[in-house]
Amino acid sequence: MNGWYPAAPLRRGLAATCAALLFVALASGTATGAAPAPPPAPTPSRTPTPSPAGGLDPRITEIMRKPEYRNAQWGLLQTGPDGGRVVHSMFPEQFFIPGSTAKLVSVSGPWHTLGSEHRFVTPVYAVGERRGATLTGDLDLVAQGDLTMGGRTRPDGTVAYTDLDHTYANDFTGATLTPENPLAGIDELARQVRASGITRVDGDVIVDSRLFAPDPVLDPTPTPLIINDNLIDLMTTPGDRAGAAARLDWRPKVAPYQVTSTVKTVAAGGPTDITVTTTDGGTRIRLAGTIAADAEPLLRTSPVTDPAAFGRTALIEALERAGVRVTADPTGPNPVGRLPRDYDGRPRVAAYTSPPYAQYAKLILKVSHNLGANLGICLMAVTTGSRQCEDGFPVLADFLDEAGVDRGQLQLMDGRGGNPADRATPEVLVQMLAYWQGTPDAKLFRESLPILGVDGLLAENCRDCPARGKVFAKTGAAVGGDSLNDRLAVGAITIAGYLDRGDGRFDTFYAGVNGASTPGPNTQDVVAIANDLAMIAAYLQEAPPSP
């Protein structure tokens, strides 16, 4: 989700790429914690900037004094809607690990560069000679960096998401699937090819992925063609009784991927422990282990190792379903050597048009979609004519300069906020948020963020507190292991966004803590720290406006 990355190899059971720690399990709206401990005295270089509007809510200072934060560093900045008046401030120009609050910047770049209404049009060209209904030659799908290829698009054109996305299924229990067909865009292309009059292809189907080169520095690595987030979904459901084989369903079903399971159902209350292994380049997937008879269905995922070849096979199979015969072996390699230099004069026989980019931005921000955030870097590079994703960073830099955001207070090596080098000050993130308030897309951007107690990664927080529905914020986390002390090292938990102050006025804010630690190795202790940050945001919103 947000970008928690491991500082060191972690013991089994602790996710290595949590990416956006859930802010959950605090539905009562009250902060939890042990007895307060005195906060550490700041060094002279870390003297807090005064809060001009007065002291913090005592509930916030109580959180900051917890033992978990004895060696930690807090950052806080809240500014009013009237020209950036500072309400609260604590180390506003100090670098903090941002976690996925970095996505406030990395999503803003392509949003501005492409435009909120930009749609990705993925074409299929007929390359060869056509006689009647037969094409002697190839069908070339030219990938355009569409994040979902229709796999999440609802009938009304919006993009579906769940509060805990399937991209986190291997890290968190409770991830769920959207009901949409992950092959919807591919199926639509196949139907259009058939509607063009082609019923036979004496040749091949090729995915043209020359839009940009995959960059392994960006992890997860974007590819020009993405189907189902480049994942195979594996859903295990308990059998009818203890001892029975568990039921398995998986998607998208595309050759040559094959999935088998030896997972057994055990008695209610028993262990649910499922492992996923792969062979043959990831195309043979095997599940093993146990699931309790009273357990909810458990989702796991396995990566698609060659997205272009996967897309080629998916399109050939979709064409067959649509009534178009392709003579090439559907599970063969993607024959990029046959691609033409360009498509000038080639007939376009199909095209899939995506929802507007603002819908993808909403998906990325609501669920902390790491692949989508990294993809934005590559898409900015493409606007310059470059195929190298790293060339997206100068585009982002130019936008930040134009937006009045001091990029000297920001360090980014990716779009997700998960690179160990990533840093951001409270001030720079508040500047980014303030920029949007002066644009026509202010409301659209604000409502793309998780909403406290309502949706996204803040859905389960503060559901009954006064701030419910009045905090719009991106969360972030960076967590690793501390083998020396048998605990977890919390590099950062952060939150940044908007506080609804009524009458159409919104304060911008950031709250974050770097260098916290947990009592032991239980990940729920990290969730408790994330809950503290959510509650700080709630308490900031609940405070009466300063004079």
Side-chain angles (χ1 to χ4, degrees), residues 240-254:
D240 295 332
R241 65 186 185 284
R247 292 185 288 270
L248 170 69
D249 194 12
W250 62 282
R251 71 174 202 182
K253 292 182 172 67
V254 173

mmCIF file with all atom_site columns, all heavy atoms in Angstrom, residues 240-254:
data_model
loop_
_atom_site.group_PDB
_atom_site.id
_atom_site.type_symbol
_atom_site.label_atom_id
_atom_site.label_alt_id
_atom_site.label_comp_id
_atom_site.label_asym_id
_atom_site.label_entity_id
_atom_site.label_seq_id
_atom_site.pdbx_PDB_ins_code
_atom_site.Cartn_x
_atom_site.Cartn_y
_atom_site.Cartn_z
_atom_site.occupancy
_atom_site.B_iso_or_equiv
_atom_site.pdbx_formal_charge
_atom_site.auth_seq_id
_atom_site.auth_comp_id
_atom_site.auth_asym_id
_atom_site.auth_atom_id
_atom_site.pdbx_PDB_model_num
ATOM 1   N N   . ASP A 1 240 ? -15.870 -28.042 2.433   1.00 0.00 ? 240 ASP A N   1
ATOM 2   C CA  . ASP A 1 240 ? -17.100 -28.215 3.209   1.00 0.00 ? 240 ASP A CA  1
ATOM 3   C C   . ASP A 1 240 ? -16.850 -28.730 4.622   1.00 0.00 ? 240 ASP A C   1
ATOM 4   O O   . ASP A 1 240 ? -17.695 -28.561 5.501   1.00 0.00 ? 240 ASP A O   1
ATOM 5   C CB  . ASP A 1 240 ? -18.048 -29.174 2.475   1.00 0.00 ? 240 ASP A CB  1
ATOM 6   C CG  . ASP A 1 240 ? -18.521 -28.613 1.149   1.00 0.00 ? 240 ASP A CG  1
ATOM 7   O OD1 . ASP A 1 240 ? -18.590 -27.371 1.039   1.00 0.00 ? 240 ASP A OD1 1
ATOM 8   O OD2 . ASP A 1 240 ? -18.801 -29.402 0.227   1.00 0.00 ? 240 ASP A OD2 1
ATOM 9   N N   . ARG A 1 241 ? -15.711 -29.347 4.847   1.00 0.00 ? 241 ARG A N   1
ATOM 10  C CA  . ARG A 1 241 ? -15.441 -29.917 6.169   1.00 0.00 ? 241 ARG A CA  1
ATOM 11  C C   . ARG A 1 241 ? -13.937 -30.051 6.343   1.00 0.00 ? 241 ARG A C   1
ATOM 12  O O   . ARG A 1 241 ? -13.167 -29.984 5.376   1.00 0.00 ? 241 ARG A O   1
ATOM 13  C CB  . ARG A 1 241 ? -16.095 -31.298 6.289   1.00 0.00 ? 241 ARG A CB  1
ATOM 14  C CG  . ARG A 1 241 ? -15.502 -32.320 5.344   1.00 0.00 ? 241 ARG A CG  1
ATOM 15  C CD  . ARG A 1 241 ? -16.239 -33.638 5.343   1.00 0.00 ? 241 ARG A CD  1
ATOM 16  N NE  . ARG A 1 241 ? -15.565 -34.628 4.513   1.00 0.00 ? 241 ARG A NE  1
ATOM 17  C CZ  . ARG A 1 241 ? -15.604 -34.639 3.191   1.00 0.00 ? 241 ARG A CZ  1
ATOM 18  N NH1 . ARG A 1 241 ? -16.281 -33.722 2.534   1.00 0.00 ? 241 ARG A NH1 1
ATOM 19  N NH2 . ARG A 1 241 ? -14.954 -35.582 2.516   1.00 0.00 ? 241 ARG A NH2 1
ATOM 20  N N   . ALA A 1 242 ? -13.519 -30.239 7.608   1.00 0.00 ? 242 ALA A N   1
ATOM 21  C CA  . ALA A 1 242 ? -12.105 -30.458 7.898   1.00 0.00 ? 242 ALA A CA  1
ATOM 22  C C   . ALA A 1 242 ? -11.618 -31.704 7.174   1.00 0.00 ? 242 ALA A C   1
ATOM 23  O O   . ALA A 1 242 ? -12.298 -32.737 7.154   1.00 0.00 ? 242 ALA A O   1
ATOM 24  C CB  . ALA A 1 242 ? -11.896 -30.593 9.395   1.00 0.00 ? 242 ALA A CB  1
ATOM 25  N N   . GLY A 1 243 ? -10.482 -31.634 6.569   1.00 0.00 ? 243 GLY A N   1
ATOM 26  C CA  . GLY A 1 243 ? -9.915  -32.735 5.811   1.00 0.00 ? 243 GLY A CA  1
ATOM 27  C C   . GLY A 1 243 ? -10.186 -32.658 4.329   1.00 0.00 ? 243 GLY A C   1
ATOM 28  O O   . GLY A 1 243 ? -9.528  -33.342 3.537   1.00 0.00 ? 243 GLY A O   1
ATOM 29  N N   . ALA A 1 244 ? -11.183 -31.847 3.937   1.00 0.00 ? 244 ALA A N   1
ATOM 30  C CA  . ALA A 1 244 ? -11.520 -31.731 2.524   1.00 0.00 ? 244 ALA A CA  1
ATOM 31  C C   . ALA A 1 244 ? -10.533 -30.799 1.821   1.00 0.00 ? 244 ALA A C   1
ATOM 32  O O   . ALA A 1 244 ? -9.916  -29.924 2.441   1.00 0.00 ? 244 ALA A O   1
ATOM 33  C CB  . ALA A 1 244 ? -12.937 -31.193 2.367   1.00 0.00 ? 244 ALA A CB  1
ATOM 34  N N   . ALA A 1 245 ? -10.390 -31.007 0.538   1.00 0.00 ? 245 ALA A N   1
ATOM 35  C CA  . ALA A 1 245 ? -9.552  -30.102 -0.251  1.00 0.00 ? 245 ALA A CA  1
ATOM 36  C C   . ALA A 1 245 ? -10.183 -28.720 -0.280  1.00 0.00 ? 245 ALA A C   1
ATOM 37  O O   . ALA A 1 245 ? -11.411 -28.576 -0.385  1.00 0.00 ? 245 ALA A O   1
ATOM 38  C CB  . ALA A 1 245 ? -9.391  -30.640 -1.664  1.00 0.00 ? 245 ALA A CB  1
ATOM 39  N N   . ALA A 1 246 ? -9.358  -27.711 -0.185  1.00 0.00 ? 246 ALA A N   1
ATOM 40  C CA  . ALA A 1 246 ? -9.854  -26.342 -0.306  1.00 0.00 ? 246 ALA A CA  1
ATOM 41  C C   . ALA A 1 246 ? -10.228 -26.073 -1.760  1.00 0.00 ? 246 ALA A C   1
ATOM 42  O O   . ALA A 1 246 ? -9.696  -26.688 -2.685  1.00 0.00 ? 246 ALA A O   1
ATOM 43  C CB  . ALA A 1 246 ? -8.799  -25.354 0.158   1.00 0.00 ? 246 ALA A CB  1
ATOM 44  N N   . ARG A 1 247 ? -11.157 -25.148 -1.943  1.00 0.00 ? 247 ARG A N   1
ATOM 45  C CA  . ARG A 1 247 ? -11.554 -24.752 -3.289  1.00 0.00 ? 247 ARG A CA  1
ATOM 46  C C   . ARG A 1 247 ? -10.651 -23.632 -3.781  1.00 0.00 ? 247 ARG A C   1
ATOM 47  O O   . ARG A 1 247 ? -10.252 -22.752 -3.016  1.00 0.00 ? 247 ARG A O   1
ATOM 48  C CB  . ARG A 1 247 ? -13.013 -24.318 -3.310  1.00 0.00 ? 247 ARG A CB  1
ATOM 49  C CG  . ARG A 1 247 ? -13.987 -25.470 -3.051  1.00 0.00 ? 247 ARG A CG  1
ATOM 50  C CD  . ARG A 1 247 ? -15.423 -25.016 -3.210  1.00 0.00 ? 247 ARG A CD  1
ATOM 51  N NE  . ARG A 1 247 ? -15.836 -24.164 -2.107  1.00 0.00 ? 247 ARG A NE  1
ATOM 52  C CZ  . ARG A 1 247 ? -16.387 -24.623 -0.979  1.00 0.00 ? 247 ARG A CZ  1
ATOM 53  N NH1 . ARG A 1 247 ? -16.567 -25.929 -0.815  1.00 0.00 ? 247 ARG A NH1 1
ATOM 54  N NH2 . ARG A 1 247 ? -16.749 -23.788 -0.024  1.00 0.00 ? 247 ARG A NH2 1
ATOM 55  N N   . LEU A 1 248 ? -10.347 -23.663 -5.068  1.00 0.00 ? 248 LEU A N   1
ATOM 56  C CA  . LEU A 1 248 ? -9.447  -22.672 -5.657  1.00 0.00 ? 248 LEU A CA  1
ATOM 57  C C   . LEU A 1 248 ? -10.089 -22.065 -6.893  1.00 0.00 ? 248 LEU A C   1
ATOM 58  O O   . LEU A 1 248 ? -10.652 -22.770 -7.734  1.00 0.00 ? 248 LEU A O   1
ATOM 59  C CB  . LEU A 1 248 ? -8.115  -23.324 -6.046  1.00 0.00 ? 248 LEU A CB  1
ATOM 60  C CG  . LEU A 1 248 ? -7.160  -22.455 -6.883  1.00 0.00 ? 248 LEU A CG  1
ATOM 61  C CD1 . LEU A 1 248 ? -6.606  -21.312 -6.045  1.00 0.00 ? 248 LEU A CD1 1
ATOM 62  C CD2 . LEU A 1 248 ? -6.020  -23.295 -7.463  1.00 0.00 ? 248 LEU A CD2 1
ATOM 63  N N   . ASP A 1 249 ? -10.015 -20.752 -6.983  1.00 0.00 ? 249 ASP A N   1
ATOM 64  C CA  . ASP A 1 249 ? -10.358 -20.069 -8.230  1.00 0.00 ? 249 ASP A CA  1
ATOM 65  C C   . ASP A 1 249 ? -9.218  -19.106 -8.529  1.00 0.00 ? 249 ASP A C   1
ATOM 66  O O   . ASP A 1 249 ? -8.550  -18.616 -7.619  1.00 0.00 ? 249 ASP A O   1
ATOM 67  C CB  . ASP A 1 249 ? -11.678 -19.311 -8.094  1.00 0.00 ? 249 ASP A CB  1
ATOM 68  C CG  . ASP A 1 249 ? -12.226 -18.891 -9.458  1.00 0.00 ? 249 ASP A CG  1
ATOM 69  O OD1 . ASP A 1 249 ? -11.706 -19.380 -10.481 1.00 0.00 ? 249 ASP A OD1 1
ATOM 70  O OD2 . ASP A 1 249 ? -13.152 -18.058 -9.492  1.00 0.00 ? 249 ASP A OD2 1
ATOM 71  N N   . TRP A 1 250 ? -8.990  -18.846 -9.812  1.00 0.00 ? 250 TRP A N   1
ATOM 72  C CA  . TRP A 1 250 ? -7.902  -17.944 -10.171 1.00 0.00 ? 250 TRP A CA  1
ATOM 73  C C   . TRP A 1 250 ? -8.254  -17.185 -11.439 1.00 0.00 ? 250 TRP A C   1
ATOM 74  O O   . TRP A 1 250 ? -9.117  -17.577 -12.212 1.00 0.00 ? 250 TRP A O   1
ATOM 75  C CB  . TRP A 1 250 ? -6.582  -18.689 -10.313 1.00 0.00 ? 250 TRP A CB  1
ATOM 76  C CG  . TRP A 1 250 ? -6.525  -19.749 -11.379 1.00 0.00 ? 250 TRP A CG  1
ATOM 77  C CD1 . TRP A 1 250 ? -7.049  -21.003 -11.312 1.00 0.00 ? 250 TRP A CD1 1
ATOM 78  C CD2 . TRP A 1 250 ? -5.889  -19.643 -12.655 1.00 0.00 ? 250 TRP A CD2 1
ATOM 79  N NE1 . TRP A 1 250 ? -6.774  -21.693 -12.474 1.00 0.00 ? 250 TRP A NE1 1
ATOM 80  C CE2 . TRP A 1 250 ? -6.066  -20.886 -13.305 1.00 0.00 ? 250 TRP A CE2 1
ATOM 81  C CE3 . TRP A 1 250 ? -5.176  -18.646 -13.308 1.00 0.00 ? 250 TRP A CE3 1
ATOM 82  C CZ2 . TRP A 1 250 ? -5.557  -21.132 -14.590 1.00 0.00 ? 250 TRP A CZ2 1
ATOM 83  C CZ3 . TRP A 1 250 ? -4.668  -18.879 -14.579 1.00 0.00 ? 250 TRP A CZ3 1
ATOM 84  C CH2 . TRP A 1 250 ? -4.858  -20.118 -15.193 1.00 0.00 ? 250 TRP A CH2 1
ATOM 85  N N   . ARG A 1 251 ? -7.573  -16.061 -11.604 1.00 0.00 ? 251 ARG A N   1
ATOM 86  C CA  . ARG A 1 251 ? -7.805  -15.213 -12.768 1.00 0.00 ? 251 ARG A CA  1
ATOM 87  C C   . ARG A 1 251 ? -6.601  -14.299 -12.968 1.00 0.00 ? 251 ARG A C   1
ATOM 88  O O   . ARG A 1 251 ? -5.867  -14.052 -12.002 1.00 0.00 ? 251 ARG A O   1
ATOM 89  C CB  . ARG A 1 251 ? -9.085  -14.387 -12.583 1.00 0.00 ? 251 ARG A CB  1
ATOM 90  C CG  . ARG A 1 251 ? -8.964  -13.277 -11.530 1.00 0.00 ? 251 ARG A CG  1
ATOM 91  C CD  . ARG A 1 251 ? -10.171 -12.388 -11.466 1.00 0.00 ? 251 ARG A CD  1
ATOM 92  N NE  . ARG A 1 251 ? -9.789  -11.103 -10.869 1.00 0.00 ? 251 ARG A NE  1
ATOM 93  C CZ  . ARG A 1 251 ? -10.645 -10.109 -10.632 1.00 0.00 ? 251 ARG A CZ  1
ATOM 94  N NH1 . ARG A 1 251 ? -11.923 -10.259 -10.922 1.00 0.00 ? 251 ARG A NH1 1
ATOM 95  N NH2 . ARG A 1 251 ? -10.216 -8.967  -10.116 1.00 0.00 ? 251 ARG A NH2 1
ATOM 96  N N   . PRO A 1 252 ? -6.438  -13.793 -14.195 1.00 0.00 ? 252 PRO A N   1
ATOM 97  C CA  . PRO A 1 252 ? -7.125  -14.164 -15.426 1.00 0.00 ? 252 PRO A CA  1
ATOM 98  C C   . PRO A 1 252 ? -6.569  -15.467 -15.979 1.00 0.00 ? 252 PRO A C   1
ATOM 99  O O   . PRO A 1 252 ? -5.365  -15.721 -15.900 1.00 0.00 ? 252 PRO A O   1
ATOM 100 C CB  . PRO A 1 252 ? -6.831  -12.992 -16.362 1.00 0.00 ? 252 PRO A CB  1
ATOM 101 C CG  . PRO A 1 252 ? -5.550  -12.414 -15.862 1.00 0.00 ? 252 PRO A CG  1
ATOM 102 C CD  . PRO A 1 252 ? -5.515  -12.649 -14.384 1.00 0.00 ? 252 PRO A CD  1
ATOM 103 N N   . LYS A 1 253 ? -7.445  -16.286 -16.507 1.00 0.00 ? 253 LYS A N   1
ATOM 104 C CA  . LYS A 1 253 ? -7.050  -17.597 -17.025 1.00 0.00 ? 253 LYS A CA  1
ATOM 105 C C   . LYS A 1 253 ? -6.530  -17.424 -18.450 1.00 0.00 ? 253 LYS A C   1
ATOM 106 O O   . LYS A 1 253 ? -7.296  -17.288 -19.397 1.00 0.00 ? 253 LYS A O   1
ATOM 107 C CB  . LYS A 1 253 ? -8.223  -18.569 -16.968 1.00 0.00 ? 253 LYS A CB  1
ATOM 108 C CG  . LYS A 1 253 ? -8.647  -18.941 -15.546 1.00 0.00 ? 253 LYS A CG  1
ATOM 109 C CD  . LYS A 1 253 ? -9.778  -19.954 -15.545 1.00 0.00 ? 253 LYS A CD  1
ATOM 110 C CE  . LYS A 1 253 ? -10.057 -20.470 -14.135 1.00 0.00 ? 253 LYS A CE  1
ATOM 111 N NZ  . LYS A 1 253 ? -10.614 -19.423 -13.245 1.00 0.00 ? 253 LYS A NZ  1
ATOM 112 N N   . VAL A 1 254 ? -5.208  -17.415 -18.564 1.00 0.00 ? 254 VAL A N   1
ATOM 113 C CA  . VAL A 1 254 ? -4.524  -17.220 -19.843 1.00 0.00 ? 254 VAL A CA  1
ATOM 114 C C   . VAL A 1 254 ? -3.440  -18.283 -19.950 1.00 0.00 ? 254 VAL A C   1
ATOM 115 O O   . VAL A 1 254 ? -2.648  -18.468 -19.015 1.00 0.00 ? 254 VAL A O   1
ATOM 116 C CB  . VAL A 1 254 ? -3.895  -15.807 -19.929 1.00 0.00 ? 254 VAL A CB  1
ATOM 117 C CG1 . VAL A 1 254 ? -3.049  -15.655 -21.185 1.00 0.00 ? 254 VAL A CG1 1
ATOM 118 C CG2 . VAL A 1 254 ? -4.970  -14.720 -19.883 1.00 0.00 ? 254 VAL A CG2 1
#
